[in-house]
Amino acid sequence: MKIIILAGGGGTRLFPLSRTCFPKQFMKLGTEQSLLAQTVTRFMPVAKVADMVIVTNQEYIHHVKAELAACGAMDVHILLEPVGRNTAPAIALAARYCIDELGAGEEEVMFVTPSDHIIRKNDLFIKSVKQAEEMARQENIVTFSIKPDKPEIGYGYIEAGEACGYGFAVKSFKEKPSQEVAEEYVAAGRYYWNSGMFAVTMGQIMREFSTHQPEIYQLASTNYADALAQFENMPNISIDYAVAEKSDKVVTIPLLAYWNDIGSWDAIYDVLDKDTDGNAVKGDCIPIDCTNTLMLGRSRLIAGIGLEDLLVVETDDVIVVAKKGESQKVKDLVNELKDRGRREADEHTTLYRPWGSVTVLGGGPGYKMKQVRVNPGQGLSLQMHYHRTEHWIVTGGTAQVTLGDEVKMVHENESVFIPMSTKHRLENPGRIPLEIIEVQNGKYLEEDDIVRFDDVYGRV
């Protein structure tokens, strides 16, 4: 069995922690592992890491590699989508890769999963995965569904039909409902949340594409190299719309393990531990006379007095306050920020790069301050700036600095000045992270004032 992990999405429903440049699959929520690393680890009892494939994009490749290294799974295969085309093309590309590059036969099962869910009671989950594999070998598309414990408007629903194997034949798929309709679904008892996970054989998914999505099938039926080259010509469509809602081969297994797609701050509140007053508190927070409230702080003290049924989430550049039950509207906030051209919609103050990270500390007219962290053995591209000078102060580690034709070592508590229009490069030759404070001065400090001469290490 091949495990296909979809990790290319840039969802922002957990803004301000999750943003386009750092979506939730890379977040750590109360554990030492990111959600992506947890997903990889979850499948280790049923598949070798060499039988796992992560589908992502170039922007996230360094995050993916870092998480794989952290969970000891560097043999996982990584597929890079040239452009975003939703889940159906991503799954078609992954199937083609498994067939051509990993030698998968038509009867081998692929289990497709998002990379950003919380699942507990892994023994029950693995039991369900094995059941799904067995039913998939009978030419079924096997979905996992979740019995709802409350009306939920943030999930799609599956209507169960006649009993079939370990579950039910799927009678219909339902869009995210209104509150009234969600209440009707829960009361009816035959509707389940759609988890977004499914199992199917390589041959069956290709036959389904051939029947229901001939455009995808044509582009993915030749070989992996051609499918990758033609990927941008694929339609932008989800696997639910493309295949699941059209096929008569879909069955569902109700998942016995605990599942939460943590698609909102209300969902985060549900999974966190609470105090005796029902408050979920993380970070430097002081609740006084607060009840049933989420307080999550990252960079400063948060004090709440008399709060009830509120969600308070803070980062170093954004504070979001919402009523419980209203957090699905966070996506409306993100859209508003994008309409206003606000940087916060897409970027944190800390941006991660293949070689390390950059954190904006502050700035004003004519100056900007950053903290730059360079991993051991890494460095920035050789570059220069026409409109700014830079002053580097080493606060940790040892820097190797190229300045014009000179190469010099700069140690902790030492500094170096970079004049305008001077070629320069920052490298870390040591065994511990290099940390510097960078002070930029000039009338124009935007990132497009960078002339690059090579990309040996990767772009800043």
Side-chain angles (χ1 to χ4, degrees):
M1 181 167 60
K2 298 294 187 286
I3 310 300
I4 311 302
I5 301 172
L6 304 179
T12 54
R13 290 183 295 171
L14 294 185
F15 177 87
L17 289 191
S18 172
R19 307 193 196 184
T20 304
C21 70
F22 193 78
K24 69 173 180 173
Q25 57 262 34
F26 305 117
M27 292 169 51
K28 299 176 182 178
L29 297 172
T31 67
E32 294 299 316
Q33 285 190 323
S34 70
L35 294 174
L36 173 59
Q38 289 180 47
T39 303
V40 171
T41 304
R42 184 179 305 132
F43 284 93
M44 287 182 178
V46 291
K48 297 179 294 186
V49 292
D51 285 328
M52 299 183 192
V53 177
I54 292 178
V55 185
T56 187
N57 58 62
Q58 186 62 49
E59 293 298 315
Y60 300 152
I61 181 64
H62 53 286
H63 292 307
V64 170
K65 288 183 176 180
E67 296 307 325
L68 292 179
C71 64
M74 292 301 292
D75 288 338
V76 171
H77 303 268
I78 302 175
L79 302 190
L80 298 181
E81 298 173 292
V83 293
R85 285 293 182 267
N86 217 314
T87 54
I91 291 164
L93 183 68
R96 191 76 260 166
Y97 180 85
C98 290
I99 293 168
D100 291 354
E101 305 298 321
L102 302 184
E106 284 199 0
E107 300 307 312
E108 186 165 3
V109 172
M110 62 188 301
F111 191 100
V112 180
T113 177
S115 57
D116 54 5
H117 293 177
I118 289 178
I119 294 177
R120 295 171 181 164
K121 299 182 179 179
N122 206 53
D123 56 336
L124 294 179
F125 177 74
I126 293 303
K127 179 180 179 180
S128 294
V129 170
K130 291 178 178 178
Q131 291 174 345
E133 181 182 16
E134 179 183 335
M135 291 188 70
R137 294 189 186 281
Q138 301 166 18
E139 298 187 349
N140 295 308
I141 302 174
V142 187
T143 65
F144 276 179
S145 54
I146 314 298
K147 188 172 181 59
D149 57 6
K150 62 182 177 181
E152 175 59 62
I153 64 173
Y155 299 148
Y157 284 72
I158 294 174
E159 182 183 7
E162 297 295 323
C164 178
Y166 297 105
F168 306 92
V170 171
K171 187 173 181 179
S172 66
F173 288 86
K174 303 296 184 181
E175 297 291 330
K176 295 176 182 179
S178 65
Q179 182 66 28
E180 181 180 0
V181 172
E183 291 172 358
E184 293 175 359
Y185 286 168
V186 173
R190 66 180 183 276
Y191 293 89
Y192 296 77
W193 293 334
N194 186 355
S195 74
M197 293 180 280
F198 70 92
V200 64
T201 64
M202 303 290 171
Q204 187 63 35
I205 193 62
M206 285 302 186
R207 287 190 289 272
E208 296 289 340
F209 281 131
S210 177
T211 301
H212 303 295
Q213 295 295 323
E215 186 177 0
I216 293 178
Y217 177 75
Q218 181 180 3
L219 294 172
S221 62
T222 54
N223 58 68
Y224 172 70
D226 287 347
L228 185 64
Q230 296 295 318
F231 191 80
E232 63 180 327
N233 296 324
M234 295 259 194
N236 190 332
I237 188 170
S238 72
I239 193 66
D240 285 348
Y241 286 136
V243 172
E245 294 184 7
K246 296 179 171 64
S247 176
D248 60 0
K249 299 284 189 179
V250 186
V251 299
T252 188
I253 295 177
L255 183 64
L256 299 178
Y258 174 87
W259 172 91
N260 194 319
D261 87 334
I262 55 170
S264 69
W265 284 112
D266 284 290
I268 292 292
Y269 171 82
D270 289 341
V271 303
L272 294 178
D273 294 333
K274 321 288 193 303
D275 64 18
T276 55
D277 294 315
N279 300 309
V281 177
K282 294 290 182 181
D284 191 8
C285 304
I286 301 177
I288 297 177
D289 295 331
C290 296
T291 56
N292 302 324
T293 289
L294 170 68
M295 298 177 66
L296 197 156
R298 298 293 292 271
S299 61
R300 72 197 85 184
L301 170 66
I302 298 178
I305 302 174
L307 304 182
E308 182 177 358
D309 293 328
L310 288 182
L311 306 166
V312 183
V313 183
E314 176 266 349
T315 65
D316 58 358
D317 60 340
V318 176
I319 300 173
V320 171
V321 181
K323 291 182 180 179
K324 286 177 64 180
E326 297 289 328
S327 64
Q328 292 289 347
K329 295 180 181 177
V330 165
K331 61 184 178 182
D332 298 329
L333 169 62
V334 174
N335 290 335
E336 178 68 19
L337 292 173
K338 290 183 176 180
D339 290 342
R340 297 187 183 193
R342 297 288 300 246
R343 170 199 60 79
E344 293 90 345
D346 298 310
E347 296 181 355
H348 283 286
T349 54
T350 296
L351 297 177
Y352 294 92
R353 303 302 190 198
W355 44 260
S357 63
V358 180
T359 301
V360 176
L361 301 177
Y367 77 97
K368 184 181 292 185
M369 294 183 295
K370 297 180 178 181
Q371 181 183 49
V372 180
R373 180 185 177 97
V374 184
N375 295 328
Q378 296 295 312
L380 284 65
S381 60
L382 184 67
Q383 58 190 254
M384 76 172 185
H385 315 289
Y386 287 117
H387 303 292
R388 71 175 184 245
T389 63
E390 293 178 344
H391 189 187
W392 295 343
I393 305 163
V394 177
T395 58
T398 297
Q400 179 174 297
V401 177
T402 300
L403 190 59
D405 296 328
E406 179 186 8
V407 177
K408 59 191 300 184
M409 307 302 290
V410 184
H411 302 93
E412 194 169 324
N413 297 324
E414 297 177 347
S415 64
V416 62
F417 178 74
I418 314 296
M420 291 184 190
S421 302
T422 302
K423 290 182 181 181
H424 59 278
R425 189 204 307 273
L426 177 66
E427 298 173 272
N428 179 3
R431 296 181 178 273
I432 64 173
L434 164 65
E435 295 184 354
I436 72 166
I437 300 298
E438 177 180 278
V439 181
Q440 302 175 355
N441 290 99
K443 293 184 177 180
Y444 187 81
L445 301 174
E446 300 303 319
E447 288 303 299
D448 58 359
D449 180 28
I450 301 177
V451 179
R452 303 183 194 279
F453 298 94
D454 66 48
D455 277 329
V456 172
Y457 292 98
R459 294 185 182 276
V460 69

